[in-house]
Coordinates of all heavy atoms in Angstrom, one line a residue:
K245 N 136.5 -7.8 -171.5 CA 137.1 -6.5 -171.7 C 136.0 -5.4 -171.6 O 135.9 -4.5 -172.5 CB 137.8 -6.4 -173.1 CG 139.0 -7.4 -173.2 CD 139.6 -7.3 -174.5 CE 140.6 -8.4 -174.7 NZ 140.0 -9.8 -174.9
G246 N 135.2 -5.5 -170.6 CA 134.2 -4.5 -170.3 C 132.9 -4.6 -171.1 O 132.0 -3.8 -170.9
K247 N 132.8 -5.7 -171.9 CA 131.7 -5.8 -172.8 C 131.0 -7.1 -172.5 O 131.6 -8.2 -172.3 CB 132.2 -5.9 -174.2 CG 131.2 -5.6 -175.3 CD 132.0 -5.4 -176.6 CE 131.2 -5.4 -177.9 NZ 130.2 -6.3 -178.1
L248 N 129.6 -7.1 -172.4 CA 128.9 -8.3 -172.2 C 128.9 -9.2 -173.4 O 128.8 -8.7 -174.5 CB 127.4 -8.0 -171.8 CG 127.1 -7.3 -170.5 CD1 125.6 -7.1 -170.3 CD2 127.7 -8.1 -169.3
E249 N 128.9 -10.5 -173.2 CA 128.9 -11.4 -174.3 C 128.2 -12.7 -173.9 O 128.3 -13.1 -172.8 CB 130.4 -11.7 -174.6 CG 130.6 -12.6 -175.8 CD 132.1 -13.1 -176.0 OE1 132.9 -12.7 -175.2 OE2 132.3 -13.8 -176.9
V250 N 127.4 -13.2 -174.8 CA 126.8 -14.6 -174.6 C 127.6 -15.6 -175.4 O 128.0 -15.3 -176.5 CB 125.3 -14.5 -175.1 CG1 124.8 -16.0 -175.3 CG2 124.5 -13.7 -174.2
L251 N 127.9 -16.7 -174.8 CA 128.6 -17.8 -175.5 C 128.3 -19.1 -174.9 O 127.7 -19.2 -173.8 CB 130.1 -17.5 -175.4 CG 130.9 -17.7 -174.1 CD1 132.3 -18.0 -174.4 CD2 130.7 -16.5 -173.2
S252 N 128.6 -20.2 -175.6 CA 128.5 -21.5 -175.1 C 129.8 -22.1 -175.1 O 130.6 -21.8 -176.0 CB 127.4 -22.3 -175.8 OG 127.8 -22.6 -177.1
L253 N 130.1 -23.0 -174.1 CA 131.4 -23.7 -174.1 C 131.1 -25.2 -173.9 O 130.2 -25.5 -173.2 CB 132.2 -23.1 -172.9 CG 132.7 -21.7 -173.0 CD1 133.5 -21.3 -171.7 CD2 133.7 -21.5 -174.2
P254 N 132.0 -26.0 -174.5 CA 131.7 -27.4 -174.4 C 132.2 -28.0 -173.1 O 133.1 -27.5 -172.4 CB 132.6 -28.0 -175.6 CG 133.7 -27.0 -175.7 CD 133.1 -25.6 -175.3
N255 N 131.5 -29.1 -172.8 CA 131.9 -30.0 -171.7 C 132.1 -29.2 -170.4 O 131.2 -28.6 -169.8 CB 133.1 -30.8 -172.1 CG 132.8 -31.6 -173.3 OD1 131.7 -32.2 -173.4 ND2 133.7 -31.7 -174.3
Q256 N 133.4 -29.3 -169.9 CA 133.7 -28.7 -168.6 C 134.3 -27.3 -168.7 O 134.8 -26.8 -167.7 CB 134.7 -29.6 -167.8 CG 134.2 -31.0 -167.6 CD 134.5 -31.9 -168.8 OE1 134.9 -31.5 -169.9 NE2 134.4 -33.2 -168.5
D257 N 134.5 -26.8 -169.9 CA 135.3 -25.6 -170.0 C 134.7 -24.4 -169.3 O 133.5 -24.3 -169.1 CB 135.5 -25.3 -171.5 CG 136.5 -26.2 -172.1 OD1 137.1 -27.0 -171.4 OD2 136.7 -26.1 -173.4
C258 N 135.6 -23.5 -168.8 CA 135.2 -22.4 -167.9 C 135.7 -21.1 -168.5 O 136.8 -21.0 -169.0 CB 135.9 -22.7 -166.6 SG 135.6 -21.3 -165.4
P259 N 134.8 -20.1 -168.5 CA 135.2 -18.8 -169.1 C 136.5 -18.2 -168.5 O 137.2 -17.5 -169.2 CB 134.0 -17.9 -168.8 CG 132.9 -18.8 -168.5 CD 133.5 -20.1 -168.0
L260 N 136.7 -18.5 -167.2 CA 137.9 -18.0 -166.6 C 139.2 -18.4 -167.3 O 140.2 -17.6 -167.4 CB 138.0 -18.5 -165.1 CG 137.0 -18.0 -164.1 CD1 137.1 -18.7 -162.8 CD2 137.1 -16.5 -163.9
S261 N 139.2 -19.5 -167.9 CA 140.4 -20.0 -168.6 C 140.6 -19.4 -169.9 O 141.7 -19.5 -170.5 CB 140.3 -21.6 -168.7 OG 140.2 -22.2 -167.5
I262 N 139.6 -18.6 -170.4 CA 139.9 -17.9 -171.7 C 139.7 -16.4 -171.4 O 139.5 -15.6 -172.3 CB 138.9 -18.3 -172.8 CG1 137.4 -18.4 -172.3 CG2 139.3 -19.7 -173.4 CD1 136.4 -18.7 -173.4
G263 N 140.0 -16.0 -170.1 CA 140.1 -14.6 -169.8 C 138.8 -13.8 -169.7 O 138.8 -12.6 -169.8
K264 N 137.7 -14.6 -169.6 CA 136.4 -13.9 -169.5 C 135.8 -14.1 -168.1 O 136.0 -15.1 -167.5 CB 135.4 -14.5 -170.6 CG 135.9 -14.3 -172.0 CD 135.1 -15.0 -173.0 CE 135.7 -15.1 -174.4 NZ 135.5 -13.9 -175.2
K265 N 135.0 -13.1 -167.7 CA 134.5 -13.1 -166.3 C 133.0 -13.5 -166.3 O 132.2 -12.9 -166.9 CB 134.6 -11.7 -165.7 CG 136.1 -11.3 -165.5 CD 136.2 -9.8 -165.0 CE 137.7 -9.5 -164.9 NZ 137.8 -8.0 -164.5
P266 N 132.7 -14.7 -165.7 CA 131.4 -15.2 -165.7 C 130.4 -14.4 -164.9 O 130.7 -14.0 -163.8 CB 131.5 -16.6 -165.1 CG 132.8 -16.6 -164.3 CD 133.7 -15.5 -164.9
L267 N 129.2 -14.2 -165.4 CA 128.1 -13.5 -164.7 C 126.9 -14.4 -164.6 O 126.1 -14.1 -163.6 CB 127.7 -12.2 -165.5 CG 128.9 -11.2 -165.8 CD1 128.4 -10.1 -166.7 CD2 129.5 -10.7 -164.5
L268 N 126.7 -15.3 -165.5 CA 125.5 -16.1 -165.4 C 125.8 -17.4 -166.3 O 126.5 -17.3 -167.2 CB 124.3 -15.4 -166.1 CG 123.0 -16.1 -166.3 CD1 122.3 -16.4 -165.0 CD2 122.0 -15.2 -167.1
C269 N 125.2 -18.5 -165.8 CA 125.3 -19.7 -166.7 C 124.2 -20.7 -166.5 O 123.5 -20.6 -165.5 CB 126.6 -20.5 -166.3 SG 126.6 -21.3 -164.8
V270 N 124.0 -21.5 -167.5 CA 123.1 -22.6 -167.3 C 123.8 -23.9 -167.8 O 124.4 -23.9 -168.8 CB 121.7 -22.4 -168.1 CG1 121.9 -22.2 -169.6 CG2 120.7 -23.5 -167.8
D271 N 123.6 -24.9 -167.0 CA 124.2 -26.3 -167.3 C 123.3 -27.0 -168.3 O 122.1 -27.2 -168.0 CB 124.3 -27.0 -166.0 CG 124.9 -28.4 -166.1 OD1 125.1 -28.9 -167.2 OD2 125.2 -29.0 -165.0
V272 N 123.8 -27.3 -169.5 CA 122.9 -28.0 -170.4 C 123.4 -29.5 -170.6 O 123.0 -30.1 -171.6 CB 122.7 -27.3 -171.8 CG1 122.0 -26.0 -171.5 CG2 124.1 -27.0 -172.5
W273 N 124.2 -30.0 -169.7 CA 124.4 -31.5 -169.7 C 123.0 -32.1 -169.4 O 122.2 -31.6 -168.6 CB 125.3 -31.9 -168.6 CG 126.8 -31.6 -168.8 CD1 127.3 -30.3 -169.0 CD2 127.8 -32.5 -168.9 NE1 128.7 -30.5 -169.2 CE2 129.0 -31.8 -169.1 CE3 127.9 -33.9 -168.7 CZ2 130.3 -32.4 -169.3 CZ3 129.1 -34.5 -168.8 CH2 130.3 -33.8 -169.1
E274 N 122.8 -33.3 -170.0 CA 121.4 -33.9 -169.8 C 121.2 -34.2 -168.3 O 120.0 -34.1 -167.9 CB 121.3 -35.2 -170.6 CG 121.0 -34.9 -172.0 CD 120.7 -36.2 -172.8 OE1 121.0 -37.3 -172.3 OE2 120.1 -36.1 -173.9
H275 N 122.2 -34.4 -167.5 CA 121.9 -34.7 -166.1 C 121.3 -33.6 -165.4 O 120.7 -33.7 -164.3 CB 123.2 -35.2 -165.4 CG 124.3 -34.2 -165.2 ND1 125.6 -34.4 -165.6 CD2 124.2 -32.9 -164.7 CE1 126.3 -33.3 -165.3 NE2 125.5 -32.4 -164.8
A276 N 121.4 -32.4 -166.0 CA 120.8 -31.2 -165.3 C 119.3 -31.1 -165.5 O 118.7 -30.3 -164.8 CB 121.5 -29.9 -165.9
Y277 N 118.8 -31.8 -166.4 CA 117.3 -31.6 -166.7 C 116.6 -32.9 -167.1 O 115.4 -32.9 -167.2 CB 117.2 -30.6 -167.8 CG 117.8 -30.9 -169.2 CD1 117.1 -31.6 -170.1 CD2 119.1 -30.5 -169.5 CE1 117.6 -31.9 -171.4 CE2 119.7 -30.8 -170.7 CZ 118.9 -31.5 -171.6 OH 119.5 -31.8 -172.9
Y278 N 117.3 -34.0 -167.3 CA 116.6 -35.1 -168.0 C 115.5 -35.7 -167.2 O 114.5 -36.1 -167.7 CB 117.6 -36.2 -168.4 CG 117.1 -37.1 -169.4 CD1 117.3 -36.8 -170.8 CD2 116.4 -38.3 -169.2 CE1 116.8 -37.5 -171.8 CE2 115.9 -39.1 -170.2 CZ 116.1 -38.7 -171.5 OH 115.6 -39.5 -172.5
L279 N 115.6 -35.8 -165.9 CA 114.6 -36.4 -165.0 C 113.2 -35.7 -165.2 O 112.2 -36.4 -165.2 CB 115.0 -36.4 -163.5 CG 116.1 -37.4 -163.1 CD1 116.4 -37.2 -161.7 CD2 115.7 -38.8 -163.4
K280 N 113.3 -34.4 -165.2 CA 112.0 -33.7 -165.3 C 111.6 -33.4 -166.8 O 110.5 -33.4 -167.1 CB 112.1 -32.4 -164.5 CG 110.9 -31.5 -164.6 CD 111.0 -30.3 -163.7 CE 109.8 -29.4 -163.9 NZ 108.5 -29.9 -163.3
Y281 N 112.6 -33.0 -167.6 CA 112.3 -32.5 -168.9 C 112.6 -33.5 -170.1 O 112.3 -33.2 -171.2 CB 113.0 -31.2 -169.2 CG 112.6 -30.1 -168.2 CD1 113.4 -29.8 -167.1 CD2 111.5 -29.3 -168.5 CE1 113.0 -28.7 -166.3 CE2 111.1 -28.3 -167.6 CZ 111.9 -28.0 -166.5 OH 111.5 -27.0 -165.7
Q282 N 113.2 -34.6 -169.7 CA 113.7 -35.6 -170.7 C 114.5 -34.9 -171.8 O 115.4 -34.2 -171.5 CB 112.5 -36.4 -171.3 CG 111.9 -37.4 -170.2 CD 110.9 -36.7 -169.3 OE1 110.1 -36.0 -169.7 NE2 111.1 -36.9 -168.0
N283 N 114.0 -35.0 -173.0 CA 114.8 -34.4 -174.1 C 114.5 -33.0 -174.4 O 115.0 -32.4 -175.3 CB 114.6 -35.3 -175.4 CG 113.1 -35.2 -175.8 OD1 112.2 -35.3 -175.0 ND2 112.9 -35.2 -177.1
R284 N 113.6 -32.4 -173.6 CA 113.1 -31.0 -173.9 C 114.0 -30.0 -173.3 O 113.6 -29.2 -172.4 CB 111.6 -30.9 -173.4 CG 110.7 -32.0 -174.0 CD 109.3 -31.8 -173.6 NE 109.0 -31.7 -172.2 CZ 108.9 -32.7 -171.3 NH1 109.0 -33.9 -171.7 NH2 108.7 -32.5 -170.0
R285 N 115.2 -29.8 -173.9 CA 116.1 -28.8 -173.3 C 115.6 -27.4 -173.4 O 115.8 -26.6 -172.5 CB 117.4 -29.0 -174.1 CG 118.5 -28.1 -173.5 CD 119.8 -27.9 -174.4 NE 120.6 -29.1 -174.3 CZ 121.8 -29.2 -175.0 NH1 122.3 -28.1 -175.6 NH2 122.5 -30.3 -174.9
A286 N 114.8 -27.1 -174.5 CA 114.3 -25.8 -174.7 C 113.4 -25.4 -173.6 O 113.4 -24.2 -173.1 CB 113.6 -25.6 -176.0
E287 N 112.6 -26.3 -173.1 CA 111.6 -26.1 -172.0 C 112.4 -25.8 -170.7 O 112.0 -24.9 -169.9 CB 110.7 -27.3 -171.9 CG 109.5 -27.0 -171.0 CD 108.6 -28.3 -170.9 OE1 108.5 -29.1 -171.9 OE2 108.0 -28.4 -169.8
Y288 N 113.4 -26.6 -170.5 CA 114.2 -26.5 -169.3 C 114.9 -25.1 -169.3 O 114.9 -24.4 -168.2 CB 115.3 -27.6 -169.3 CG 116.6 -27.3 -168.5 CD1 116.5 -27.2 -167.1 CD2 117.8 -27.2 -169.1 CE1 117.7 -27.0 -166.4 CE2 119.0 -26.9 -168.4 CZ 118.9 -26.8 -167.0 OH 120.1 -26.6 -166.3

Side-chain angles (χ1 to χ4, degrees):
K245 299 177 189 73
K247 200 170 169 309
L248 292 184
E249 185 188 358
V250 164
L251 71 158
S252 69
L253 292 175
N255 302 319
Q256 303 86 346
D257 283 357
C258 173
L260 291 171
S261 302
I262 49 172
K264 298 172 194 275
K265 295 173 179 174
L267 304 175
L268 174 68
C269 74
V270 64
D271 184 347
V272 295
W273 284 61
E274 280 190 344
H275 68 230
Y277 62 88
Y278 202 84
L279 287 179
K280 181 174 171 71
Y281 296 99
Q282 289 83 48
N283 62 323
R284 304 186 306 278
R285 187 192 284 186
E287 191 183 329
Y288 158 68

